[in-house]
Amino acid sequence: MRKGKWLVLACLTAVLSTGCGQEEEVDRSVVLQEEVVDETIYEQTPVTRGTVQQALVISCDYSQTLEMDLYFAVDQVIITDVYVERGDIVKKGQLLASVDVESLEKQIREREHELARASLKLQQLTESLNFDLEQADILFSYTHMTEDDRDNLKEQKENIEKSYRSSLEDTADSVEMLSIRLESAREYLRNGNLYSPIDGVINYIKEDMEGSTTDREEKVASVYDADSCLFVSDNQEAVSHIDFEQEYTIVCGLGKNQKEYTVVPVNPEKWGERIYFRLLEEEYDPNVIKSGKITFITDQAEHVLCVDKEAIHTSGDRYYVYLLDEEGIRRMRFVETGLWGVDLVEIREGLEEGEYVIK
């Protein structure tokens, strides 16, 4: 900023006469001109009463200690349905995606029908065999059986069993084969359905999965246990200031991406070289929460005289501030400080409430 001052300048104008013997006349006139002088502008901050808080800031890294990758157990089958999205909360056993279930279920129904028919045929053959054997016994029961009769009955029963043997064996083999095929189809159907193995949160889902073809080697989803998603710090200094009944704010990300989340201390039985905090929010940006900072209030002084920390200067073991006097000239004044906080410093002597100091 410029400040103008008026200077009086005497302008002497020499008027020379032409001709001999005439004296030189001097014309004296006054001219006012503004002089430009530099003046420094200071940013000032008031001396007020307030709460000074001393803080400890610790850095934490985010870790998911229980995360499971999921794969389809069948190959080259069209994935027809996807039931979840990234960030969804799921329960153990919940269906996440499935292949062409309709064709598989149709195949299972057909094999169930074939198995039922074969089983019924086997049952009927068995019942028919038993009936014929009983009839043979009844036929010989009306007369006193001689040794020859017994031999004849035995031979007749053997012939009956022989007549059924081939059909019974073929039908029994068919039942066993159809049972194996049916269980295989059911297993295939189970493998064609993707279930969540744990209670948790969907952390990854394959893009454009619906309509694609299964591949046993390709990860299609991942789910993590929310209780195992922890912020971890190795700052032991914070331990004495942590209250397990309190929630804390963690600041994650930088600049425009900076966000605040809520965490609580957990797993005290595991605290040693590391301390743990669990994220409470169910929705979050996984790219932002990779690390964060938690601030703990370690000490505070309430309703004390204080100024902005940026106004305090030091000289050896003494502290001082700058003030402007009535003429706008900067003056130094020594002060006695108390608690140094995050933004404010307690002033015990040297300043009065309502004064302004240079920041």
Side-chain angles (χ1 to χ4, degrees):
M1 181 177 181
R2 299 184 306 172
K3 182 176 180 182
K5 293 184 179 180
W6 293 96
L7 300 180
V8 178
L9 302 180
C11 298
L12 303 179
T13 304
V15 180
L16 301 179
S17 302
T18 58
C20 298
Q22 293 184 346
E23 294 183 358
E24 179 180 299
E25 291 187 10
V26 178
D27 182 19
R28 301 177 183 277
S29 60
V30 176
V31 178
L32 296 179
Q33 180 175 323
E34 185 180 14
E35 179 187 28
V36 178
V37 180
D38 287 335
E39 184 180 84
T40 303
I41 300 299
Y42 296 104
E43 181 182 356
Q44 299 182 76
T45 183
V47 181
T48 59
R49 288 196 175 274
T51 299
V52 178
Q53 292 183 326
Q54 196 173 67
L56 170 66
V57 181
I58 67 170
S59 297
C60 300
D61 294 321
Y62 185 69
S63 172
Q64 293 176 348
T65 57
L66 178 56
E67 182 175 3
M68 303 183 71
D69 295 334
L70 307 181
Y71 303 80
F72 276 104
V74 292
D75 273 323
Q76 303 303 309
V77 183
I78 300 297
I79 301 171
T80 56
D81 297 286
V82 179
Y83 306 106
V84 293
E85 297 178 351
R86 183 179 177 182
D88 284 354
I89 300 173
V90 295
K91 295 293 184 181
K92 182 178 180 180
Q94 181 176 333
L95 182 61
L96 309 181
S98 60
V99 298
D100 187 4
V101 176
E102 186 175 347
S103 63
L104 286 173
E105 289 180 340
K106 180 180 178 181
Q107 186 181 78
I108 288 173
R109 288 195 298 270
E110 290 174 350
R111 291 184 178 176
E112 286 175 338
H113 180 66
E114 291 175 0
L115 177 60
R117 289 181 59 188
S119 299
L120 179 60
K121 182 179 179 180
L122 180 61
Q123 179 183 350
Q124 290 173 339
L125 283 171
T126 303
E127 290 176 352
S128 181
L129 170 61
N130 292 332
F131 177 80
D132 289 346
L133 292 174
E134 289 176 0
Q135 289 300 311
D137 285 332
I138 293 173
L139 183 62
F140 282 89
S141 66
Y142 291 106
T143 60
H144 177 72
M145 292 185 66
T146 64
E147 190 66 29
D148 290 338
D149 291 335
R150 291 192 184 92
D151 292 339
N152 290 334
L153 176 60
K154 180 179 179 182
E155 182 180 358
Q156 187 173 348
K157 282 188 173 182
E158 288 176 352
N159 290 332
I160 293 173
E161 289 175 346
K162 184 177 179 180
S163 66
Y164 279 93
R165 185 175 300 133
S166 178
S167 296
L168 283 170
E169 289 177 352
D170 290 344
T171 307
D173 290 343
S174 179
V175 168
E176 183 177 2
M177 180 188 65
L178 289 170
S179 297
I180 293 173
R181 288 180 178 178
L182 178 59
E183 182 55 34
S184 176
R186 287 171 174 167
E187 180 67 19
Y188 200 83
L189 178 61
R190 286 193 291 270
N191 291 337
N193 287 330
L194 193 69
Y195 299 97
S196 176
I198 58 173
D199 292 345
V201 180
I202 299 297
N203 190 39
Y204 165 79
I205 197 79
K206 176 186 172 184
E207 188 175 353
D208 299 325
M209 180 162 60
E210 190 170 316
S212 64
T213 304
T214 60
D215 181 346
R216 289 174 182 263
E217 304 299 321
E218 181 184 19
K219 181 177 79 170
V220 294
S222 63
V223 60
Y224 68 87
D225 179 4
D227 290 335
S228 72
C229 298
L230 307 176
F231 283 97
V232 184
S233 176
D234 57 4
N235 192 324
Q236 295 297 304
E237 187 180 353
V239 173
S240 60
H241 304 290
I242 294 175
D243 181 356
F244 277 85
E245 301 299 323
Q246 184 176 337
E247 297 179 354
Y248 295 93
T249 298
I250 186 166
V251 180
C252 302
L254 299 172
K256 294 181 179 179
N257 292 327
Q258 190 176 91
K259 294 184 179 181
E260 293 184 353
Y261 297 98
T262 304
V263 295
V264 291
V266 293
N267 303 338
E269 70 282 357
K270 296 182 180 179
W271 285 25
E273 296 181 356
R274 294 183 172 187
I275 55 180
Y276 302 92
F277 300 86
R278 180 164 61 86
L279 182 66
L280 292 185
E281 273 82 0
E282 295 177 351
E283 295 185 4
Y284 59 85
D285 185 344
N287 296 316
V288 171
I289 65 167
K290 293 180 179 179
S291 62
K293 296 183 181 296
I294 304 176
T295 300
F296 300 93
I297 303 302
T298 57
D299 195 3
Q300 71 176 24
E302 297 180 352
H303 197 62
V304 295
L305 208 60
C306 55
V307 296
D308 194 297
K309 183 187 287 186
E310 295 183 10
I312 306 293
H313 306 275
T314 180
S315 175
D317 58 353
R318 301 187 68 185
Y319 298 99
Y320 62 93
V321 297
Y322 286 109
L323 303 89
L324 294 179
D325 63 14
E326 294 178 354
E327 297 180 358
I329 299 174
R330 188 178 71 164
R331 303 294 184 186
M332 184 182 74
R333 186 186 298 177
F334 285 102
V335 295
E336 180 183 339
T337 63
L339 186 66
W340 284 68
V342 179
D343 301 310
L344 301 174
V345 178
E346 179 186 1
I347 301 297
R348 292 180 176 172
E349 288 186 8
L351 291 173
E352 298 292 334
E353 184 176 359
E355 288 187 298
Y356 280 81
V357 295
I358 297 173
K359 191 173 180 179

